Every structure is written in C-alpha cells, then in structure tokens.
C-alpha cells in the first residue's frame, strides 16, 4: 500500500529561510523540491520578469501535483504570500488525497536585510537586488497565515467570486504561457 504523500508549502518574504528549510525537507522527507528562483535564474539570468515568474510557478505546481498523484512528497519553495494561493494548493492536495504541511518564515526587517546583503555578497547568482522600499512594500502585502491555516485545522476557503473551482482559479492565477 502506498504511503499518503505530503505537500509542504513554504510561506514567507525573501531571505527568511524558505529555501534552506526546503532543502532540509527535500532530504528528510524524500520530497521533490520545486524552487522558483532557481528556474527563473536559469532561464532569465539577471532578469526577473513578473509574467514569466507566474508561468514558472504554475508549471512547477503542475509538476508538483503530478508528483503527489504518483505518491511522491513535494515541497513548493516560493513565497505564497496570498491566502488564495495557499487555499488553492491545499484544495489541490486534498483532491489528490495528499496531506499538507505549511511552514511560515518571518524575520525582523533588519535581519532580513542582513541576510539579503550577505547573499548578495556571497552568492549573487542566486538572487536579485532588492531595495528596502521593495521589502517594506512586500511585507505590507503578505497575507500572514492564520494559526488554523498553519496547523490545518481551518477549513479551506471557497474560491473567489467569479471562479467555480480552485482549479479554475489556479489556471487564472498561474497562466499556462507568457503573454
């Protein structure tokens, strides 16, 4: 009998420890790690086009969902700042009979800046420059997960108005191609 697969979701702003944790999960849980920044860097180098990032996220999600279907644990390693994104992925995992473990990472702005500066100095090929203004704007826009979201006790929200299913919303949020 196949073990129930698990979807791990890393949630947080840049430089808060998501990728470090995802690498650990990958090894400890024998999970397929899907890290958006690695793909964007490989395909676009110094560029970070938002439209391409959304498409890459969507393609990685489709790979991850297929892996769950095959009984393989998966760790999605990118911010997932929106509750809708997390709800859509929680529902997709549930539809496939997988469980979900969500991990939220946060730091003080000073520690986040220190880590970003260190990453820029030691491994600039792994990241992009980010201003303090961008970091502050992103911090203001993240939907911090609720305790019930994190421990799985909170029911999954219904899809937003205008969408009959989370699957339909996923196709809208993560388009199949760059336009």
């Amino acid at each position: 009998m196949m073990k129930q697969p698990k979807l791990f979701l890393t949630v947080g702003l840049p430089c808060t420890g998501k990728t470090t944790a995802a690498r650990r999960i990958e090894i400890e849980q024998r999970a397929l790690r899907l890290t958006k920044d690695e793909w964007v860097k490989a395909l676009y180098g110094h560029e970070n086009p938002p439209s391409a990032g959304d498409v890459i996220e969507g393609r990685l999600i489709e790979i991850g969902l297929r892996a769950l279907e095959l009984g393989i644990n998966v760790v999605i390693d990118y911010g997932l700042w929106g509750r809708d994104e997390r709800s859509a992925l929680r529902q997709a995992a549930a539809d496939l009979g997988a469980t979900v473990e969500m991990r939220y990472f946060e730091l003080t702005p000073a520690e986040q800046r220190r880590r970003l500066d260190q990453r820029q100095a030691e491994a600039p090929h792994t990241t992009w420059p980010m201003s303090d203004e961008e970091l502050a704007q992103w911090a203001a826009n993240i939907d911090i997960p609720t305790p019930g979201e994190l421990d799985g006790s909170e029911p999954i929200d219904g899809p937003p108005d205008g969408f009959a299913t989370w699957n339909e919303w996923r196709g809208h949020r993560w388009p199949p191609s760059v336009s």
Side-chain angles (χ1 to χ4, degrees), residues 40-87:
V40 174
K41 277 293 193 181
L43 294 170
Y44 293 96
H46 296 298
E47 302 296 316
N48 188 8
S51 63
D54 290 346
V55 171
I56 290 169
E57 284 182 13
R59 301 312 328 141
L60 292 176
I61 287 166
E62 292 307 312
I63 292 167
L65 295 178
R66 178 65 180 132
L68 290 173
E69 279 183 308
L70 296 171
I72 299 165
N73 293 333
V74 174
V75 57
I76 301 286
D77 174 26
Y78 37 95
L80 300 171
W81 298 350
R83 183 180 173 101
D84 285 350
E85 295 172 319
R86 299 187 302 266
S87 293

Side-chain angles (χ1 to χ4, degrees), residues 90-153:
R90 289 174 64 204
Q91 185 63 60
D95 291 346
L96 295 171
T99 61
V100 175
E101 184 174 316
M102 190 181 310
R103 298 188 186 180
Y104 174 58
F105 301 86
E106 65 180 328
L107 294 172
T108 65
E111 178 61 14
Q112 184 185 19
R113 171 48 64 193
R114 187 196 69 73
R115 286 185 182 189
L116 178 58
D117 290 345
Q118 181 178 358
R119 185 186 297 174
Q120 284 285 29
E122 295 174 2
H125 61 284
T126 66
T127 191
W128 295 269
M130 295 174 225
S131 70
D132 289 339
E133 292 77 22
E134 287 173 311
L135 294 175
Q137 179 185 14
W138 297 333
N141 289 328
I142 189 171
D143 292 327
I144 296 171
T146 64
E149 232 187 323
L150 289 169
D151 69 17
S153 65

